[in-house]
Amino acid sequence: MRKALFFLGILSDTDIDWIVRNGSKVRLTAGSTLIHQGQPTDSLYFLLDGDFSVSTTKARNIATLKAGEIVGEISFVDARPPTASVTALSDAQVGVVSRSLLTARLKEDVGFASRFYRAVAMFLADRLRTTLGTFGTGALELDEEIEDADEVAPHLLDNISLAGTRFSEMQRRNWGGR
């Protein structure tokens, strides 16, 4: 749920409300593919319930994702097809926000855009640090004494409780005004 903590801790309550009102909640059955590697995606996804596998044509189950993760953010940012597939391992629920609605909101609300892109940058930076810490770079190894891979940066601690509450609210609410 680390990604959700970054994302939901930075956005405002009004931002979260807009996402829920303008998104939709989709149920998936086990085995359903949410994102297909190499096929453009037109949405950003909030994993509300269930377990998901991330895989590529070359590697099965690179990662297992759980409720609280956000997927599709890289393709949203760079508009390129996904480099991996995301498949439901169990029955699941996903919050879906379309690229077109989100892009329009980012253009019309500078404050939302600032918070949104800061949140995306924070969890992409976290992912890179985690990846480097796990696999190394061959030239530079992270100092394990500096920060544990699962440790949250001190400046984000105040937002953890708020982010958790916001995520619980996203799970509970009807999406799309339904």
Side-chain angles (χ1 to χ4, degrees), residues 26-143:
V26 175
R27 292 187 186 279
L28 299 171
T29 58
S32 299
T33 301
L34 179 64
I35 295 176
H36 296 272
Q37 179 181 351
Q39 295 180 15
T41 182
D42 63 352
S43 299
L44 185 66
Y45 304 95
F46 296 82
L47 307 184
L48 301 173
D49 186 40
D51 298 318
F52 295 80
S53 172
V54 178
S55 61
T56 68
T57 55
K58 295 181 180 182
R60 296 174 75 79
N61 200 28
I62 295 169
T64 300
L65 305 177
K66 298 188 176 294
E69 296 290 331
I70 299 163
V71 295
E73 75 285 350
I74 294 174
S75 292
F76 180 83
V77 170
D78 71 7
R80 294 171 54 192
T83 57
S85 294
V86 177
T87 305
L89 294 172
S90 60
D91 290 350
Q93 285 191 78
V94 179
V96 181
V97 181
S98 78
R99 173 188 297 276
S100 60
L101 284 174
L102 193 49
T103 299
R105 176 72 174 185
L106 291 167
K107 286 180 182 176
E108 73 185 30
D109 186 337
V110 175
F112 175 75
S114 175
R115 291 182 296 276
F116 177 85
Y117 283 121
R118 181 170 184 262
V120 169
M122 290 291 290
F123 66 72
L124 289 177
D126 179 69
R127 180 185 298 155
L128 181 58
R129 284 182 187 276
T130 301
T131 301
L132 289 174
T134 301
F135 299 109
T137 63
L140 170 68
E141 294 293 326
L142 295 179
D143 184 345

